[in-house]
Amino acid sequence: MEKPTHGTVHLSDWQKSYFAITSGTCTPGQKADGYRAKILQIQYAWANSEISQVCAANLFKKYAEKYSAIIDSDNIETGLNNYAENILTLAKCQQNDSDKWQSALTTDNVFELKCVQERMQAGKNFQSSQMAPADAFVPADKGVSASAAPGLPKLPVFSNAGETDLWAGSSKRASQGADLLEHPSSSKSLQSTLPPATKTSDTFPASSASFNELIQTGVQATPLFGSKEAASSSSLKASGHSGDGQNLSLSNQSAVHGWSANSGKRKAFYSVADESNPVTPNLTSCQASVSTESSSSPGNRNRNEEGSVTGFRTAKEQLWVDQQKKPQNLPQRTPISSYGGVKKSLGAGRSRGPFGKFVPPVPKQDGNENGGAQCKPPTRGPAEPSLPVDERLKNIEPKMVELIMHEIMDHGPPVNWDDIAGVEFAKATIKEIVVWPMLRPDIFTGLRGPPKGILLFGPPGTGKTLIGKCIACQSGATFFSISASSLTSKWVGEGEKMVRALFAVARCQQPAVIFIDEIDSLLSQRGDGEHESSRRIKTEFLVQLDGATTSSEDRILVVGATNRPQEIDEAARRRLVKRLYIPLPEASARKQIVARLMSKEHCCLNEEEIELIVRKSNGFSGADMTQLCREASLGPIRSLQSMDITTIMPDEVRPIAFLDFESAFKTVRPSVSSKDLELYETWNQTFGCGR
Ligand SMILES: Nc1ncnc2c1ncn2[C@@H]1O[C@H](COP(=O)(O)OP(=O)(O)OP(=O)(O)O)[C@@H](O)[C@H]1O
Ligand SMILES: [Mg+2]
């Protein structure tokens, strides 16, 4: 490209080079470089008063349009936009990263930084020793030549932003420079470069010295804003030579805007971007503060007056601005679930281990690894964005999913196998078919595959619900606990939808255990007098249960508990293949219950007395034993009689003694009759899977 000599820039030169670029022999990249070089030349020429402002503005408009046409065109032969697409995507992701990052620097304390002070001082020095336009032209032209020649580094183009940062002597400008590095292809970066271009137009301190400094400025600006930005800029730079070209193109492109006259439009453009993107530095306010700060300088005043730019936006810029306006379009690296605040996907990100692994459908709030059951449903802000919902939940009403996630979860303290006295066979079987397969699905395949349905049946108060809770804690599966009566009464008319939603959510949360207490009320024998809604619920449940039990991929276990097994529909019974009898506790189990409960109290029972209690409590259920101990523990309080209950110290209360149990036996009776017991025994012998 012909190198113009000082003071000899004529319109004919512009025309000549314009034709050279448009001749058709250049590649789009070369053309873009050529237009960019022209734009720089125009800047320099105007800065040196070689052409008038009107002329410069016209030329700029012309080249800007040509330049934008190449940059924005996605035609492989004539445009460069395909690359811009990648950069845009990259920039968007990085912006998202930086959303989380917050600088400790404020607009106030940044001026106190040593490096900023130095830059400001350098800017002032520079201003006081303004160079002759002739000096400025030479390095500028070098820059133009360099950027016009393919394959050469195009750093000089970046110099616009950096140079003016230096000139303005403002750390805020430096911050914009950092933003530019971070988002080279976004409108944000375009905006960031706008003010420098405007400033350049009136002062234009383009010397080789300032060129070097501007690079340093860029480098120094990065650490100010943390390593993340540095990484961002370097990753973009590392994206290849043409990538640099693209970055530079866009920076320059925005510089072009600075030449057109419409400050109102520019303001509007800024405010739109600022509104839509809180991360974007508020350039309007930033500019205001800079102009206030530097209003004493005539040069700066000039600059502010000339803050006239066009509202022209390329299609790519417009797209970016539009996307920023739509929050839902922002890529969500860490989306927040509408279903209990779980990120990414339902149930994801929860810790699951062999013990203390009750994993509720909502995240733990208390950080208690073993106490998932204790966690409360999280409070969600109304503005939380929804997750992209799992395909399997597509036809499920979100309201239902919410209900399942928030209401059908188990609450209460964590339960260990040791907390359940007796029922050794049932516990061993459950461990074998629930816990181990959940822990080692790779071993439990084929015929060893676990059953998908379990029925725990037995007299009331024998620990069926307790076993369900224990499975929840120990299996490591997502645990859904629902009372069948809830399905039939709580969501009247919507029971079958709830059943469908329950299984759908469970499928998303695999491995999952669905525990249905009082399952008899859900799956009772179908009869003539049956209500239509409960019949529909039952049918839906059987369909879902069938799907869950027949699908080999689904790792959903349905555990039902009932104390009326004889009322269960035969179709449902067949699907609950493992039917485990949970009988009344034997003597050893009753002893275990008493010993465990008394160990937590102030008690003076000896071994013989405990044996006696165990013998006397024959026929008691686990719940009855617990009630017996509760009653006995009140004995010492009742014996206080005349002493004032409000003043007594806890250690003055006497220990629980055998006589308290004797008294308790007078009021606590076994809740299960021997007749009922016979029915269970019979049913167990007929349908049970126990020994
Ligand atoms: N085997 C057991 N070991 C220890 N405690 C038990 C046992 N069985 C019952 N309990 C006590 O009885 C309480 C009630 O037990 P649970 O609710 O599990 O009975 P259930 O079999 O589900 O009764 P229902 O059939 O009436 O629902 C438990 O909270 C626990 O305190
Ligand atoms: Mg129960």
Side-chain angles (χ1 to χ4, degrees):
M1 196 170 295
E2 190 184 319
K3 180 181 171 182
T5 53
H6 171 229
T8 59
V9 178
H10 298 293
L11 276 180
S12 57
D13 291 320
W14 300 110
Q15 294 293 343
K16 233 186 275 174
S17 50
Y18 176 75
F19 284 125
I21 299 166
T22 54
S23 65
T25 55
C26 298
T27 65
Q30 287 171 327
K31 282 184 182 178
D33 286 342
Y35 287 130
R36 199 169 54 236
K38 288 288 114 191
I39 288 161
L40 269 183
Q41 279 187 316
I42 294 162
Q43 283 182 313
Y44 291 130
W46 183 45
N48 295 331
S49 307
E50 289 165 356
I51 54 174
S52 70
Q53 185 175 354
V54 177
C55 175
N58 286 337
L59 284 169
F60 247 116
K61 192 166 184 294
K62 189 175 192 172
Y63 280 103
E65 282 169 1
K66 294 284 177 191
Y67 182 76
S68 300
I70 295 175
I71 295 300
D72 285 344
S73 169
D74 56 4
N75 184 316
I76 298 168
E77 284 172 16
T78 60
L80 294 171
N81 194 26
N82 34 354
Y83 184 79
E85 195 69 54
N86 296 336
I87 288 290
L88 195 71
T89 312
L90 194 59
K92 275 195 282 184
C93 293
Q94 282 169 352
Q95 185 207 343
N96 211 38
D97 272 343
S98 66
D99 282 350
K100 288 177 189 167
W101 177 81
Q102 285 198 334
S103 172
L105 294 175
T106 64
T107 47
D108 292 324
N109 71 21
V110 77
F111 285 102
E112 289 162 26
L113 291 173
K114 192 165 169 264
C115 57
V116 175
Q117 295 280 353
E118 283 171 11
R119 291 296 96 201
M120 289 170 72
Q121 190 54 47
K124 279 178 197 159
N125 294 343
F126 198 85
Q127 192 177 10
S128 59
S129 60
Q130 271 189 342
M131 292 181 192
D135 297 334
F137 197 81
V138 179
D141 192 50
K142 276 183 192 161
V144 169
S145 307
S147 60
L152 285 176
K154 298 181 180 62
L155 275 169
V157 183
F158 254 126
S159 71
N160 269 346
E163 213 163 288
T164 46
D165 287 347
L166 170 65
W167 182 248
S170 162
S171 62
K172 290 171 187 174
R173 296 292 175 214
S175 79
Q176 288 168 18
D179 281 336
L180 167 65
L181 290 173
E182 192 188 351
H183 308 295
S185 63
S186 68
S187 61
K188 186 177 163 186
S189 72
L190 298 177
Q191 294 154 23
S192 301
T193 54
L194 271 167
T198 316
K199 287 179 278 171
T200 308
S201 62
D202 75 1
T203 52
F204 218 81
S207 71
S208 54
S210 67
F211 170 63
N212 288 335
E213 283 187 14
L214 75 89
I215 296 172
Q216 286 166 14
T217 307
V219 171
Q220 286 170 4
T222 304
L224 271 179
F225 294 88
S227 56
K228 198 168 223 173
E229 275 70 13
S232 304
S233 69
S234 60
S235 68
L236 282 172
K237 283 174 186 170
S239 60
H241 170 73
S242 57
D244 287 347
Q246 188 71 17
N247 291 349
L248 303 176
S249 303
L250 287 164
S251 331
N252 243 356
Q253 185 182 359
S254 58
V256 172
H257 301 158
W259 283 75
S260 307
N262 193 339
S263 60
K265 281 186 184 175
R266 183 183 64 170
K267 264 189 182 170
F269 182 55
Y270 282 177
S271 58
V272 164
D274 288 339
E275 262 173 39
S276 57
N277 183 5
V279 182
T280 308
N282 188 330
L283 291 181
T284 319
S285 61
C286 193
Q287 281 169 330
S289 65
V290 169
S291 60
T292 317
E293 166 201 327
S294 55
S295 58
S296 56
S297 156
N300 285 332
R301 209 178 304 128
N302 244 349
R303 193 182 312 136
N304 293 334
E305 283 161 14
E306 286 191 25
S308 53
V309 283
T310 179
F312 171 79
R313 254 182 250 162
T314 66
K316 192 54 75 181
E317 287 170 59
Q318 185 63 50
L319 177 69
W320 175 259
V321 172
D322 289 347
Q323 283 180 339
Q324 292 298 297
K325 279 186 203 167
K326 299 176 195 164
Q328 69 272 25
N329 283 355
L330 285 171
Q332 294 182 2
R333 286 261 176 106
T334 53
I336 302 160
S337 167
S338 63
Y339 308 135
V342 182
K343 291 178 179 180
K344 288 264 185 199
S345 64
L346 293 168
R350 296 193 212 117
S351 61
R352 292 175 181 178
F355 297 103
K357 281 172 282 331
F358 166 52
V359 187
V362 290
K364 294 172 174 124
Q365 301 280 302
D366 54 6
N368 180 3
E369 191 65 19
N370 203 20
Q374 291 173 309
C375 92
K376 297 177 185 71
T379 50
R380 293 186 307 111
E384 278 181 17
S386 295
L387 254 193
V389 179
D390 192 290
E391 268 294 298
R392 290 165 289 198
L393 300 179
K394 213 170 57 184
N395 298 321
I396 307 293
E397 282 179 34
K399 184 186 74 181
M400 297 275 175
V401 181
E402 294 267 357
L403 277 170
I404 286 163
M405 299 303 285
H406 289 169
E407 296 193 20
I408 310 177
M409 63 162 290
D410 198 47
H411 296 271
V415 179
N416 292 309
W417 290 113
D418 291 343
D419 295 335
I420 303 163
V423 287
E424 296 304 333
F425 174 72
K427 283 199 285 185
T429 310
I430 288 166
K431 280 182 197 171
E432 188 183 296
I433 61 181
V434 181
V435 183
W436 295 343
M438 292 284 182
L439 295 174
R440 292 301 304 270
D442 53 329
I443 296 175
F444 289 86
T445 53
L447 282 179
R448 281 197 207 117
K452 305 287 179 73
I454 296 179
L455 179 68
L456 305 175
F457 69 95
T462 48
K464 299 180 290 295
T465 304
L466 208 57
I467 291 172
K469 287 177 181 172
C470 190
I471 294 171
C473 295
Q474 306 300 324
S475 69
T478 311
F479 191 78
F480 298 89
S481 174
I482 184 167
S483 158
S485 61
S486 299
L487 280 178
T488 49
S489 62
K490 198 168 180 181
W491 295 289
V492 178
E494 299 199 311
E496 74 268 29
K497 284 189 198 168
M498 279 303 294
V499 171
R500 201 160 39 239
L502 175 67
F503 278 85
V505 174
R507 267 186 208 101
C508 299
Q509 298 269 42
Q510 294 180 49
V513 173
I514 299 175
F515 181 71
I516 301 170
D517 218 349
E518 308 160 46
I519 200 169
D520 51 281
S521 61
L522 182 72
L523 299 176
S524 57
Q525 308 271 359
R526 281 169 279 195
D528 293 341
E530 194 178 21
H531 198 275
E532 171 64 18
S533 66
S534 60
R535 198 186 57 77
R536 283 206 309 266
I537 293 171
K538 198 186 304 172
T539 308
E540 181 63 43
F541 189 85
L542 291 176
V543 168
Q544 293 293 337
L545 195 58
D546 237 0
T549 50
T550 50
S551 164
S552 55
E553 293 101 53
D554 281 351
R555 292 172 65 204
I556 299 173
L557 173 72
V558 176
V559 181
T562 180
N563 52 26
R564 288 186 294 176
Q566 59 282 0
E567 289 190 14
I568 289 182
D569 187 283
E570 59 271 11
R573 197 172 58 216
R574 180 180 65 77
R575 287 165 174 87
L576 300 168
V577 286
K578 205 80 177 171
R579 296 175 287 270
L580 297 172
Y581 182 38
I582 311 297
L584 290 178
E586 294 167 351
S588 60
R590 294 199 301 275
K591 186 179 176 182
Q592 216 177 312
I593 293 171
V594 174
R596 191 173 59 84
L597 290 175
M598 287 299 116
S599 68
K600 296 173 195 163
E601 306 295 326
H602 184 36
C603 155
C604 61
L605 287 176
N606 60 37
E607 192 67 20
E608 279 175 23
E609 288 168 336
I610 291 179
E611 287 292 341
L612 213 56
I613 293 167
V614 167
R615 242 178 288 142
K616 285 186 82 170
S617 63
N618 191 19
F620 277 46
S621 69
D624 295 337
M625 291 305 294
T626 306
Q627 185 53 31
L628 181 76
C629 292
R630 280 176 174 276
E631 195 65 29
S633 69
L634 283 172
I637 306 294
R638 289 184 186 130
S639 68
L640 291 174
Q641 291 177 358
S642 58
M643 286 185 74
D644 192 355
I645 191 77
T646 56
T647 54
I648 192 168
M649 299 300 288
D651 53 358
E652 287 171 3
V653 178
R654 70 166 176 80
I656 302 164
F658 181 71
L659 63 101
D660 297 315
F661 275 90
E662 282 187 318
S663 309
F665 272 119
K666 288 175 190 160
T667 53
V668 180
R669 304 261 196 284
S671 56
V672 185
S673 70
S674 52
K675 199 174 152 221
D676 290 346
L677 215 53
E678 268 175 39
L679 282 175
Y680 290 115
E681 298 285 350
T682 313
W683 203 87
N684 182 37
Q685 280 162 17
T686 317
F687 302 109
C689 302
R691 288 178 192 141

